[in-house]
Amino acid sequence: MFYKALGKTEVKLSEIGIGTWQLNTRTDDALKAIRVGLDNGINFVDTAEVYGTEELVGEAIRGYKDVFVATKVWPTHFHYNDVIKSCEQSLSKLGISQIGLYQLHWPNPAIPISETMSAMEKLVDMGKIRYIGVSNFSMEELIAAQKAMSKYTIVSNQVEYSLLVRDAEKELLPFCHKTGITLIAYSPLARGALFSGRYRNLSSELSSIAQKYKKTAVQTALNWLLGKGPVIAIPKANNPAHMLENIAASSWRLASEDVDAINRLVKDRNRLSMSKKVRGLLSIYFKLRR
C-alpha cells in the first residue's frame, strides 16, 4: 500500500481508503470487509452522520490502533452549537475520543461560513477533532471557508471524481496541487456505472490494459485516479473480496503511455455527476428555508 500526506500535515494516509456511503449494513460482510482492509494496509475510514454507518465503523475499528477516522457534519447542522452537538454525537457513535478529520458535508449558503468555521476551530481547540476538511466545495467555496478561519487550515476537500466524472480537473485539482490540499475522491468507480452496458467499450479497454499488469479493470480505473497527485480514493466494499480487490489497486502505477491511452478513451465522456444533482436539490432546499 502506498501512503500520502494529508494536506501539509505529517499524517500519512493509505491512498486507498474505505468509503461507507450506501454500505450494506444488513449483513456482517461489510464489517468483515472493513476489518480486512485494516488488516491489509488501509488506515483511513470515511463516514458521515447521515450515512448511518458511524456505529458500524466504530464496531469495525474497535481493537485496532492508529486508524484515522473521518466523518462529516450535515449542512443543516452548520450553526455553531449544532456543529458542536453533531460532533459529540458522532464521537459517541464511533466510540472514539477524537475524530481525525471532521468535514463539512456540503456548502450551506443559508448559514454564514464564518459561524460554521468558528465552531470547527473550537472543536480543534477542545481536542474533539484533529483536522478540518470540507466536502463538495468548489474552489471558490473552499477559499471562502479558509478565509473564514483564524487559526487552522483546511487539509482536504472530498469530491466526486472518477474516469466518468472529471469536473475536479478543471480548477479544483490544480488548486489542490498548488496549495497542498488533499483531494479525497468518492464514487471513484462512478457507483458501478463505469462497468455498465453503457460503457462496455470503455470497460473492455480497461480490462485489456489491466492484463499487462495482471490486474483487474477495477484496479486499473482506481490506479488511474491515484496517479493524479494529492488524490486518495475511498471506494466502498460490501464484502472482503471486493476490499482485497480495492487494496490491490495501490502499490503500483500505470505507465505514462497507458495513462494517455485511458485519457483518450474517456475524452468527452463526462457524465452528469451525482454531486451536481444533489447540489441542485440542496440549493432549492436552502432557498425555501430562508
Side-chain angles (χ1 to χ4, degrees):
M1 177 67 67
F2 289 161
Y3 297 83
K4 293 179 178 178
L6 173 63
K8 293 182 179 179
T9 76
E10 295 182 355
V11 173
K12 298 289 186 180
L13 300 182
S14 52
E15 64 177 6
I16 291 288
I18 299 174
T20 61
W21 179 57
Q22 293 189 329
L23 196 65
N24 184 359
T25 60
R26 292 171 294 180
T27 70
D28 290 336
D29 284 348
L31 180 66
K32 293 175 182 177
I34 294 173
R35 289 176 173 167
V36 165
L38 299 178
D39 289 337
N40 287 275
I42 291 180
N43 66 356
F44 177 43
V45 185
D46 178 81
T47 181
E49 65 174 344
V50 298
Y51 289 177
T53 56
E54 286 182 324
E55 290 178 333
L56 173 70
V57 169
E59 182 180 357
I61 66 174
R62 194 173 300 125
Y64 285 87
K65 295 181 179 179
D66 302 321
V67 179
F68 193 91
V69 177
T71 190
K72 311 176 196 72
V73 54
W74 190 245
T76 54
H77 300 157
F78 278 9
H79 283 300
Y80 187 96
N81 290 335
D82 292 336
V83 173
I84 303 297
K85 182 179 179 181
S86 288
C87 178
E88 291 173 341
Q89 290 176 341
S90 290
L91 283 167
S92 177
K93 290 179 180 178
L94 290 163
I96 57 179
S97 59
Q98 185 184 61
I99 294 166
L101 176 65
Y102 202 41
Q103 305 156 98
L104 305 184
H105 206 146
W106 288 88
N108 183 352
I111 298 176
I113 190 64
S114 57
E115 178 181 352
T116 306
M117 301 317 289
S118 177
M120 296 290 275
E121 291 195 300
K122 178 63 175 179
L123 287 169
V124 177
D125 289 340
M126 296 170 68
K128 294 182 182 293
I129 69 175
R130 190 172 177 187
Y131 297 110
I132 298 169
V134 296
S135 181
N136 298 298
F137 275 47
S138 67
M139 185 182 73
E140 292 77 13
E141 290 163 340
L142 175 57
I143 292 171
Q146 182 61 68
K147 287 182 177 179
M149 297 168 68
S150 61
K151 297 180 181 179
Y152 305 109
T153 60
I154 292 170
V155 300
S156 64
N157 189 3
Q158 184 176 146
V159 298
E160 185 175 4
Y161 186 24
S162 69
L163 276 165
L164 297 182
V165 180
R166 301 176 64 178
D167 298 323
E169 295 178 353
K170 297 174 183 177
E171 291 185 334
L172 187 58
L173 183 56
F175 180 76
C176 289
H177 268 285
K178 180 180 179 180
T179 57
I181 293 174
T182 296
L183 191 151
I184 302 173
Y186 72 80
S187 297
L189 299 172
R191 299 177 302 285
L194 187 59
F195 305 102
S196 66
R198 181 180 178 183
Y199 300 102
R200 185 178 294 107
N201 291 338
L202 173 57
S203 59
S204 177
E205 290 296 332
L206 283 173
S207 295
S208 179
I209 292 173
Q211 289 178 5
K212 295 172 56 178
Y213 301 88
K214 296 183 179 179
K215 299 293 181 179
T216 67
V218 165
Q219 292 162 349
T220 303
L222 289 173
N223 194 269
W224 175 87
L225 268 181
L226 300 177
K228 296 295 182 177
V231 176
I232 290 174
I234 51 169
K236 73 173 181 180
N238 276 315
N239 59 64
H242 286 163
M243 181 62 71
L244 290 172
E245 183 177 21
N246 292 342
I247 290 169
S250 182
S251 299
W252 59 285
R253 284 291 182 265
L254 287 161
S256 58
E257 60 266 25
D258 292 319
V259 172
D260 292 340
I262 292 172
N263 287 337
R264 289 192 294 270
L265 287 171
V266 296
K267 185 179 181 181
D268 301 326
R269 288 182 180 268
N270 225 18
R271 67 199 298 262
L272 180 60
S273 66
M274 182 278 295
S275 58
K276 284 185 177 180
K277 298 175 185 177
V278 174
R279 179 183 282 268
L281 291 172
L282 285 175
S283 177
I284 294 171
Y285 174 79
F286 293 141
K287 287 179 181 179
L288 292 174
R289 294 275 292 182
R290 285 178 174 177

